[in-house]
Amino acid sequence: MQKNIDIALECGFSHSCELDASTLVVKQEVRDMCAVNTCGQYDKNWACPPGCGSLEECGNILKKYKRGIIVQSTKQLEDSMDFEGLEELGKEHEANFKRAIDKFTELYADKDILILGTGSCNICKECTYPDKECRFPQKRISSMEAYGLVVNEVCKANNIPYNYGPNTMTYVGCFLFE
């Protein structure tokens, strides 16, 4: 996994560590938070609940993997109201993620990889959910939360900080390998 961690860091992530897939525990309360629809994507996107599958289905998918890496993009903000800094970090994280996806899909072209990111899938300008099948099911990326994972618990269970101090923000994703 050290090679994968090194690749993640080369792609621009601030932090990365090995992920023990046995620490991934799906929780109904995370799905319940999704259903509140704060982000506006619940029941509107194939990568979000319920389009990404039931909690049981997501849990069964996660069980297929034994190892992976956690990736993080962290930024020191001017203060807790630094929305410009948050937006910049979001763009950096997305760019880091795209670079890492390209590297890992090339390196593991003949293997199964599960990529869980931050936020909802944004590959298409408008999602076909629920009227038509996903245009790009192999490229679709669900968030860790969509799969029912409590991100800070996953980080803690894998010995990587989630909070890097006052006025910092961290975006987290993971790559799971066969």
Side-chain angles (χ1 to χ4, degrees):
M1 282 293 100
Q2 186 60 49
K3 179 180 177 181
N4 292 336
I5 292 168
D6 293 342
I7 290 170
L9 296 173
E10 289 167 12
C11 288
F13 290 107
S14 308
H15 310 93
S16 184
C17 75
E18 188 167 347
L19 183 152
D20 174 357
S22 70
T23 65
L24 301 177
V25 179
V26 298
K27 296 191 174 185
Q28 183 61 47
E29 56 263 29
V30 179
R31 278 295 180 87
D32 294 342
M33 287 188 288
C34 284
V36 173
N37 202 22
T38 303
C39 73
Q41 293 300 312
Y42 185 84
D43 204 21
K44 293 184 178 148
N45 189 306
W46 282 111
C48 293
C52 64
S54 70
L55 193 59
E56 182 181 2
E57 290 168 328
C58 290
N60 288 335
I61 290 169
L62 291 171
K63 288 176 186 173
K64 295 185 343 184
Y65 300 91
K66 301 293 181 231
R67 57 199 175 108
I69 60 169
I70 294 173
V71 295
Q72 298 178 331
S73 298
T74 301
K75 183 176 183 69
Q76 182 71 43
L77 304 174
E78 289 181 24
D79 55 43
S80 62
M81 302 300 283
D82 184 4
F83 298 114
E84 189 175 289
L86 283 173
E87 187 176 307
E88 186 178 295
L89 176 61
K91 289 177 182 175
E92 288 172 15
H93 184 71
E94 189 172 326
N96 297 341
F97 225 77
K98 286 180 179 175
R99 283 189 291 273
I101 288 168
D102 289 345
K103 293 275 188 186
F104 290 129
T105 54
E106 180 181 323
L107 185 62
Y108 294 99
D110 60 337
K111 304 276 188 215
D112 186 25
I113 303 172
L114 178 62
I115 303 166
L116 297 176
T118 303
S120 64
C121 183
N122 60 7
I123 293 170
C124 300
K125 185 176 179 180
E126 189 173 319
C127 187
T128 60
Y129 184 85
D131 302 321
K132 296 180 182 173
E133 291 295 315
C134 177
R135 292 180 194 103
F136 305 104
Q138 298 304 322
K139 292 183 178 185
R140 178 178 63 223
I141 299 171
S142 292
S143 69
M144 293 175 71
E145 292 90 350
Y147 267 60
L149 301 172
V150 179
V151 176
N152 63 333
E153 289 179 8
V154 173
C155 290
K156 185 177 181 178
N158 287 280
N159 301 310
I160 189 169
Y162 176 73
N163 185 336
Y164 288 89
N167 298 325
T168 61
M169 179 64 181
T170 300
Y171 286 103
V172 181
C174 64
F175 292 81
L176 298 171
F177 307 98
E178 289 185 298

